[in-house]
Amino acid sequence: MIRTTLAEIERYYPLSDGIKTAADFIRNNDLASFPAGRYAVDGDRIFALVQELETKPADEALIENHMRSIDMQMTLRGNESVAYRPVAKLTKKGEYDAAADVQNYSGETELIMRNDPGASVSIFFPEDGHQPYIAEKSPEPIKKVVIRIML
């Protein structure tokens, strides 16, 4: 798991050319004005999911990971926290959804991070369990972008 800002993300470009492509897409587009939906960044290899939803209490938010992709997340508007724990310390919950490339987990997270809208970037690899959409105080609407970078 990597926690950085859009201003400092360049140091992580050597890990995947997709991280640079995703960061450029964020910088070069006013994503806060995009309607919710899926947007091709580099065909099916890199795509963005612009989401508008409501945060929820931590005990209602799902813990997940992705086996075939890197998951890069940035809150665009509103207050959201994201929790983290390595999947090796979590228990699988349900079956892996290959079409959506998502596995859910149960267990306790060990780190909760507040997202600063338009600045904080979280990058999750297959070994990183993450729990997005956590309300900081009470549920509220947010807008965020999730960029999936296929491995």
Side-chain angles (χ1 to χ4, degrees):
M1 191 264 315
I2 295 170
R3 180 69 170 182
T4 189
T5 64
L6 194 57
E8 298 174 336
I9 199 168
E10 291 85 5
R11 74 181 70 223
Y12 302 103
Y13 290 174
L15 297 177
S16 166
D17 66 331
I19 293 173
K20 179 183 184 322
T21 301
D24 288 346
F25 180 76
I26 291 170
R27 284 190 185 107
N28 295 327
N29 291 281
D30 179 14
L31 296 176
S33 70
F34 280 36
R38 179 179 165 142
Y39 297 88
V41 176
D42 182 8
D44 287 332
R45 187 178 84 88
I46 303 172
F47 59 90
L49 302 169
V50 175
Q51 303 172 336
E52 293 185 85
L53 46 92
E54 190 153 302
T55 58
K56 51 186 88 176
D59 62 350
E60 295 177 22
L62 295 174
I63 304 169
E64 63 182 26
N65 82 322
H66 311 285
M67 308 293 189
R68 299 186 322 266
S69 61
I70 297 168
D71 199 27
M72 187 165 141
Q73 301 188 11
M74 175 185 242
T75 305
L76 302 169
R77 185 171 54 237
N79 297 300
E80 176 197 21
S81 290
V82 178
Y84 163 81
R85 184 164 186 138
V87 296
K89 296 180 179 181
L90 297 166
T91 302
K92 285 183 181 180
K93 181 179 177 181
E95 296 297 317
Y96 170 67
D97 181 342
D101 184 29
V102 67
Q103 173 68 57
N104 290 317
Y105 294 86
S106 61
E108 296 293 320
T109 55
E110 59 189 35
L111 176 66
I112 297 177
M113 304 164 284
R114 180 184 190 283
N115 284 345
D116 294 320
S120 300
V121 177
S122 298
I123 304 171
F124 300 103
F125 295 87
E127 64 272 16
D128 300 324
H130 53 284
Q131 184 183 30
Y133 318 124
I134 298 174
E136 292 191 357
K137 294 181 181 156
S138 59
E140 68 175 272
I142 62 165
K143 188 166 194 175
K144 73 181 295 181
V145 63
V146 175
I147 301 182
R148 299 284 292 277
I149 304 164
M150 304 312 288
L151 295 171

